[in-house]
Amino acid sequence: MLIRREIPIDAPAIAEIHRGAFAAHYAEDPAVTEPPEVALVEALRADESWMPTLSLVALENDTVVGHILLTRAGIGPFPVLALGPLGVDPDRHKTGIGSALMHAALGAADAMDEPVVGLVGDPVYYSRFGFVPGARLGIVPDEAEWAEYFQVRPLTAYDPALSGEFRYPAPFYAL
């Protein structure tokens, strides 16, 4: 497996990855014809929060089998990163691709001296990568209903004085 930056020709394959990875989450809702994560990635590419160096794909035999995205977010006036979405080809689940993408993305963010990565997701899954409930570090989401699943990962440049309300890039609020 190779993990590298997304390039423009990867966009259709990335859309397919997220379509497959998230379809089961919306299977019970007939109003959802396509997982919103597909449109989210497109919207983030066009947003000022887009950081092309932090949109990564996992390749097996030149085929995109996974994708992870970090974009610019904020805690008050301080720049931080938002993670999401993370998607893996459903046929490749539980093969280490998601973990490899997470480690690559967190390593890249750390190398760029980013202080914190925030996300809304399964606490059991993300705790294995060092994510903790945001409230434990005084960082809370700006949407109260996200609080139970909101987590942060402090990186090497983290300063404990960094606290407050976490704000995602604008496209996340259109989900």
Side-chain angles (χ1 to χ4, degrees), residues 1-166:
M1 175 180 29
L2 170 70
I3 295 177
R4 65 156 168 77
R5 287 174 57 168
E6 168 189 338
I7 56 177
I9 62 169
D10 295 328
I14 290 168
E16 267 314 299
I17 291 295
H18 293 301
R19 198 169 282 119
F22 291 99
H25 296 282
Y26 304 99
E28 302 291 321
D29 187 348
V32 177
T33 58
E34 176 158 278
E37 289 80 2
V38 176
L40 174 62
V41 172
E42 275 300 315
L44 287 167
R45 283 189 189 112
D47 191 71
E48 66 185 350
S49 65
W50 179 248
M51 299 177 74
T53 56
L54 295 176
S55 181
L56 306 175
V57 293
L59 299 171
E60 286 183 351
N61 301 318
D62 295 325
T63 300
V64 175
V65 294
H67 176 251
I68 192 168
L69 180 56
L70 295 167
T71 49
R72 178 62 64 209
I75 298 173
F78 302 103
V80 297
L81 295 174
L83 187 147
L86 163 63
V88 174
D89 179 332
D91 294 335
R92 302 285 206 302
H93 281 187
K94 301 200 183 294
T95 62
I97 294 168
S99 292
L101 283 165
M102 280 295 299
H103 290 297
L106 292 172
D110 196 56
M112 294 172 65
D113 287 328
E114 295 291 339
V116 170
V117 175
L119 64 83
V120 173
D122 178 7
V124 173
Y125 179 78
Y126 289 103
S127 66
R128 72 180 85 173
F129 304 106
F131 283 86
V132 298
R136 187 180 300 170
L137 299 180
I139 302 170
V140 296
D142 62 351
E143 297 284 334
E145 64 269 14
W146 295 346
E148 181 180 353
Y149 298 99
F150 180 71
Q151 303 155 72
V152 296
R153 171 61 155 83
L155 301 172
T156 305
Y158 171 71
D159 179 343
L162 181 62
S163 64
E165 197 170 74
F166 185 96

